[in-house]
Amino acid sequence: MMRSLTYGAMGLRSKVTLAGFLLCGVAAPLKAETVHLLALGDSLTQGYGLIEQDGFVPQLRSWLADHGHDVRIVNAGVSGDTTAGGLSRVEWSLTPEIDGMIVALGGNDLLRGLPPESSRANLEGILEVAEAQEVEVLLVGMRAPGNYGPDFKATFDAMYPELSEAYGTLYYPSFFEGIVSEGEAPASAAGLMQADGIHPNAEGVSRIVEAMGPAVEELIARVGADEE
């Protein structure tokens, strides 16, 4: 009789332990999957003139990790690339695991004085590829200097928000938003630029990432919403 009672108590304890284990297993939060982003850009994205960890992509990755995001960012920045170059490689750059894309192109179009209409057509082509592959996009703008004339500047500056609205992407006004005010040239950011006056130094990149980070978080949130 005592043996039966002991066995019964042990069996009951085992069932309670198993139930508790299962309950804990159900209640435990599932680890979020890694978000895969592609940063399509030029030398600003690539990290020109900087050691690797000081570049835009590594600093952005670190910023996102510090804010609780598990993100892998593919650095698809190519020094000297124009919007045409970005268009020529976007399709094969968007490998199957890519969930979202940061597009930061146009600076070299400005340096070469290329027609804004051509830049617009190239950016539109990039967004069409992203749309066809169901990849969320953060479109990063670039502001033209005034030396090309008011019409050029107005046309160039307007293409980013207009394309963003047309394709339903997220929009960030300017890559240099974190270090210069609207109407100022990047070279005016004393102490935050490299000697060429075109590329930010490590501290400049840090401030750019700090300013842009929340917009990238919005991109991550969109990716997550698409997967639910």
Side-chain angles (χ1 to χ4, degrees):
M1 183 68 174
M2 180 60 71
R3 183 179 180 184
S4 298
L5 288 172
T6 303
Y7 179 81
M10 290 178 63
L12 178 61
R13 190 182 303 123
S14 298
K15 290 179 180 178
V16 170
T17 302
L18 178 60
F21 175 80
L22 292 174
L23 182 59
C24 289
V26 171
L30 296 175
K31 184 179 178 182
E33 291 186 7
T34 302
V35 173
H36 296 263
L37 302 180
L38 178 79
L40 184 73
D42 48 34
S43 55
L44 296 174
T45 302
Q46 182 266 332
Y48 175 88
L50 301 170
I51 59 175
E52 185 177 358
Q53 61 263 36
D54 288 340
F56 172 73
V57 168
Q59 288 209 49
L60 178 59
R61 188 187 301 116
S62 295
W63 188 94
L64 291 169
D66 288 344
H67 287 74
H69 301 286
D70 181 11
V71 180
R72 172 178 174 262
I73 308 175
V74 177
N75 190 343
V78 175
S79 291
D81 220 2
T82 61
T83 54
L87 175 59
S88 70
R89 59 194 174 87
V90 64
E91 193 159 8
W92 56 260
S93 296
L94 287 174
T95 50
E97 77 278 4
I98 297 298
D99 304 302
M101 176 169 59
I102 302 168
V103 179
L105 286 162
N108 288 306
D109 295 52
L110 286 174
L111 290 175
R112 300 182 187 187
L114 300 177
E117 295 78 12
S118 297
S119 302
R120 184 188 184 105
N122 293 328
L123 287 173
E124 188 164 16
I126 291 171
L127 297 182
E128 286 175 351
V129 171
E131 185 176 69
Q133 297 194 27
E134 299 182 342
V135 171
E136 294 287 355
V137 173
L138 170 62
L139 182 60
V140 179
M142 185 68 63
R143 297 188 180 111
N147 57 303
Y148 289 117
D151 291 342
F152 182 105
K153 178 173 175 57
T155 302
F156 187 93
D157 292 1
M159 68 183 178
Y160 293 97
E162 289 174 358
L163 287 173
S164 176
E165 183 176 1
Y167 285 86
T169 77
L170 292 169
Y171 168 64
Y172 188 74
S174 171
F175 187 89
F176 294 101
E177 189 81 1
I179 61 176
V180 297
S181 302
E182 186 172 359
E184 293 181 340
S188 67
L192 299 174
M193 300 295 289
Q194 297 181 43
D196 60 10
I198 297 173
H199 301 93
N201 59 25
E203 176 59 25
V205 172
S206 177
R207 297 195 187 188
I208 287 169
V209 166
E210 184 72 27
M212 194 188 299
V216 181
E217 287 187 301
E218 287 187 55
L219 177 62
I220 294 169
R222 276 202 179 187
V223 169
D226 288 347
E227 293 178 349
E228 290 178 358

